[in-house]
Every structure is written in C-alpha cells, then in structure tokens.
Amino acid sequence: MTNVQEDAFHVVFEGKNPGVYPTWEDAAEQVVGWSGNRHVKYPTFVHAMAAWVKFCNKKGLDPNKGIHINKDSQIGSSFQTNTDVNGLYILP
C-alpha cells in the first residue's frame, strides 16, 4: 500500500493522460515531452479533485476517467478501496 498523504496531488490538465495523480513522478510521465502540457500541484486530494471536476465540467468530460489513484493507496488517514469519493470512483 502506498501512502499518498506524504506528497501533494497533481492534476494534469493537458498531457498524455490528463487526470489526478498522487505523485509528481506519476504526473511527470504524462507531461514531460508533451508540447503544451498544463499541470498544477494541489496540497490535498480534495483540492485536486475540485479542480479536476471543474475542468471536466467546462470541457464536457467525465471526471471519473481521470483519477489515477491506486485503489490500495491511502488518502489522508482513510484507506480507500474501489468505492466512491464525493461521487467519483477510484480506478484500480
């Protein structure tokens, strides 16, 4: 199990696979070498998800398709399984 509480969350708005990532290493794979990439670091999962959902709503995208948090990850002090978080699902 990975504890993602130690790192901020990263939202890739423009890149290979846009979405929410638990570490810079994961997000970097999506933006390094990608012309016109756009990404932002957020202090918490909630902040990252709010920005991602707002972006998806503007673009008419499904925000569920961009959550790249492993189902075995810890977010804060709660263990997450494949259940919803604010109505969104964590992908395996």
Side-chain angles (χ1 to χ4, degrees), residues 28-83:
E29 292 177 16
Q30 309 308 315
V31 298
V32 172
W34 185 271
S35 179
N37 72 67
R38 190 165 72 93
H39 54 91
V40 177
K41 177 180 173 181
Y42 293 93
T44 67
F45 178 71
V46 172
H47 287 99
M49 282 304 302
W52 175 245
V53 169
K54 183 176 179 180
F55 172 79
C56 288
N57 287 341
K58 277 186 172 181
K59 298 282 189 175
L61 302 172
D62 179 2
N64 290 307
K65 294 185 178 178
I67 305 171
H68 304 284
I69 308 296
N70 187 299
K71 70 179 181 177
D72 294 329
S73 296
Q74 277 187 347
I75 299 175
S77 61
S78 62
F79 179 73
Q80 299 297 317
T81 60
N82 205 18
T83 57

